[in-house]
Amino acid sequence: MDIIETIRARKSIRGFKPDPVPQGVLREILEIAVRAPSANNTQPWEFVVLTGKVLDDLREANLEAFTNRTPFTPGIPIPPDKWGEPYRGRQLSLGIELFRLLGVGKDDWEGKVAWAEKGLRFFDAPAVILICVDESDQDTVYIFDCGTVAQTIALAALRFGLGTCIQRHITNYPEAIRKATGISASKRIIIGIPIGYPDPDCPTYKLQSTREPVANITTWLGFD
Ligand SMILES: Cc1cc2nc3c(=O)[nH]c(=O)nc-3n(C[C@H](O)[C@H](O)[C@H](O)COP(=O)(O)O)c2cc1C
């Protein structure tokens, strides 16, 4: 795949085959992805890559925190309860299409809780990459840097037939993550990336998110 095809082909994968991902492949993806740019080349990202029992323990810890209604304390600020427009509309249209594919109706709270739980289980991916940043990094541009490396991981993964979903939801309960993984309090847990071989039979595989046309969001200056 050339780079343009790869960029166009990437989409969030929320259903995986159980097949394990070889450690060597995950290492190669990270070695490629760290070529991502960062402010002043600070490379604030650190990775914790999980599979097997420790990942299963983490899924359990996340679910326990959810069931116990543990307050959210994510490493980066969480979105407001009510988005303003145009963001709310975009978020809603994604959610409506996702739940339509899942067969979860508007008032089907059980279905919605089951989906939230699936998210907290990292969509049952066979491996997960957590991106962390040391607490000593006080320059909030690290969030941007983590974004460049996360997208590069997602693109590089395609080269190996792997799918990913950049996932903020799983950072809601950092204490549960620390308990299950031993990640120290000196590391902010920024984002999680479930990674594995996509399951094309998963209903959400058909989800194709939309984009605002470039014409609506671009101001061209000095072209005529
Ligand atoms: C910072 C960030 C956080 C995200 N968090 C979640 C999440 O918690 N759960 C989820 O299912 N998808 C999550 N996503 C995936 C987005 O929903 C997805 O990228 C968007 O709907 C566009 O769809 P696409 O990735 O298929 O193109 C996140 C993406 C980003 C960049």
Side-chain angles (χ1 to χ4, degrees):
M1 261 200 270
D2 92 336
I3 188 160
I4 306 298
E5 284 174 48
T6 307
I7 293 167
R8 290 194 190 279
R10 188 215 55 81
K11 62 178 185 173
S12 295
I13 296 298
R14 300 180 177 90
F16 298 90
K17 294 180 181 169
D19 311 51
V21 185
Q23 186 178 9
V25 169
L26 292 167
R27 186 179 293 116
E28 202 175 336
I29 289 169
L30 293 179
E31 280 166 357
I32 296 163
V34 293
R35 294 307 307 171
S38 61
N40 297 299
N41 200 25
T42 48
Q43 307 163 61
W45 47 70
E46 295 176 28
F47 309 110
V48 178
V49 189
L50 305 105
T51 191
K53 183 179 178 317
V54 65
L55 177 54
D56 288 337
D57 289 348
L58 174 52
R59 297 189 226 270
E60 278 308 309
N62 258 348
L63 289 178
E64 194 183 309
F66 178 66
T67 307
N68 294 340
R69 296 172 186 265
T70 306
F72 299 166
T73 52
I76 49 175
I78 54 174
D81 282 347
K82 296 257 179 274
W83 294 87
E85 292 301 342
Y87 315 112
R88 175 73 180 148
R90 293 175 190 161
Q91 184 203 21
L92 266 178
S93 67
L94 176 81
I96 288 168
E97 182 57 6
L98 181 84
F99 285 122
R100 190 190 67 75
L101 289 168
L102 288 166
V104 173
K106 195 166 173 274
D107 299 319
D108 178 359
W109 295 109
E110 258 177 47
K112 288 183 180 176
V113 166
W115 181 247
E117 289 180 343
K118 182 149 173 136
L120 290 168
R121 293 200 314 270
F122 301 91
F123 307 114
D124 300 315
V128 166
I129 300 168
L130 298 176
I131 303 181
C132 304
V133 170
D134 198 89
E135 281 287 352
S136 61
D137 188 344
Q138 294 299 316
D139 183 351
T140 51
V141 79
Y142 65 73
I143 298 176
F144 191 98
D145 298 336
C146 288
T148 72
V149 83
Q151 166 75 342
T152 313
I153 290 170
L155 294 176
L158 288 178
R159 173 73 177 69
F160 299 87
L162 292 161
T164 55
C165 181
I166 297 169
Q167 209 190 0
R168 194 211 57 77
H169 182 201
I170 57 87
T171 65
N172 281 345
Y173 311 116
E175 291 322 311
I177 300 181
R178 294 186 201 291
K179 200 174 114 196
T181 61
I183 296 174
S184 94
S186 66
K187 307 291 174 191
R188 285 190 201 100
I189 302 158
I190 305 298
I191 209 96
I193 309 182
I195 182 164
Y197 301 97
D199 175 3
D201 296 328
C202 173
T204 57
Y205 188 77
K206 294 194 184 76
L207 182 63
Q208 194 58 60
S209 60
T210 59
R211 293 294 186 275
E212 193 69 27
V214 169
N216 295 357
I217 52 169
T218 309
T219 305
W220 302 93
L221 300 174
F223 283 87
D224 38 53

